[in-house]
Amino acid sequence: VTIITAKMLKQFGIVSIPETLTVVPGMEVTQATGNDTGNDYRIGYHGTNVIVPRRMNVLIDGMSVYRPAKARVDWKGLPVAIEDVDRIEITRGPNSASYGANSMLAIVNIITKHPREAEGTTLAATVGTQRTAGGTARYGGKFGEATAYRITLDHQQDAGFDSASTLGQGHDTTRINRLSFR
């Protein structure tokens, strides 16, 4: 099991879930571009098929986000901002089968911060090369004594790969807006 904590994410300057997986032994992280794919991450474990990763499950707070009909995970569209991540647990090997269907080789379990841990207002912004920019606004509060909530608005964008496609087609820039409530 590999565990990547929120503290590690900040220390390494990691800004996305797919980027996190590049530090995990055995993970293959690639990007594809083309007319039908856009800026699309392809992630597999230990030499398996990264185009159609049928033996690796991805969970957010224990709920699978794997799309069985398409045999894939929409990595860019995951409904979680990196600032809301408490830790990411990657379980590798046959023990992962206890997580159910599509969990033969590996499990990526993204565990978000509990709303009680995120009370108050948090603002974060990032800027980098390739017109990379992002911003996150989060507010957490309580209803009475027993119910806590968190609402997060997140925007991330970039200008894509360092060089244009040699095919003269494809669109690899990213612009994502997320609104999540827990």
Side-chain angles (χ1 to χ4, degrees):
V1 176
T2 299
I3 298 175
I4 300 169
T5 64
K7 182 180 177 183
M8 293 168 70
L9 294 173
K10 286 185 181 182
Q11 284 177 333
F12 295 136
I14 293 173
V15 296
S16 70
I17 302 296
E19 185 181 349
T20 303
L21 299 177
T22 63
V23 301
V24 177
M27 283 289 178
E28 297 173 351
V29 180
T30 59
Q31 280 183 284
T33 185
N35 285 336
D36 61 341
T37 59
N39 187 7
D40 187 18
Y41 281 95
R42 306 292 173 97
I43 300 174
Y45 175 68
H46 228 292
T48 59
N49 185 350
V50 295
I51 304 298
V52 185
R54 288 179 274 220
R55 292 172 183 86
M56 184 180 79
N57 204 351
V58 179
L59 311 169
I60 297 177
D61 293 326
M63 304 266 311
S64 180
V65 293
Y66 179 79
R67 295 175 165 180
K70 295 185 176 186
R72 62 173 284 175
V73 173
D74 183 8
W75 291 98
K76 282 292 200 173
L78 292 178
V80 61
I82 200 76
E83 284 80 11
D84 285 340
V85 172
D86 181 49
R87 68 186 180 278
I88 300 173
E89 299 174 350
I90 299 95
T91 304
R92 300 182 302 269
N95 292 337
S96 63
S98 62
Y99 285 89
N102 198 55
S103 303
M104 309 307 186
L105 295 177
I107 299 293
V108 176
N109 191 10
I110 303 160
I111 300 167
T112 62
K113 295 174 183 167
H114 193 279
R116 277 181 259 145
E117 299 170 11
E119 284 189 43
T121 303
T122 303
L123 300 173
T126 58
V127 167
T129 59
Q130 295 298 107
R131 295 192 313 258
T132 301
T136 304
R138 178 177 64 215
Y139 180 76
K142 289 183 181 180
F143 290 123
E145 291 296 316
T147 305
Y149 66 92
R150 176 189 75 219
I151 187 166
T152 304
L153 177 62
D154 180 59
H155 171 80
Q156 301 295 323
Q157 70 181 39
D158 64 45
F161 298 120
D162 290 336
S163 60
S165 170
T166 57
L167 302 174
Q169 51 185 284
H171 184 68
D172 65 353
T173 61
T174 302
R175 181 169 289 150
I176 295 178
N177 295 308
R178 295 179 184 97
L179 175 65
S180 62
F181 180 80
R182 179 176 174 196

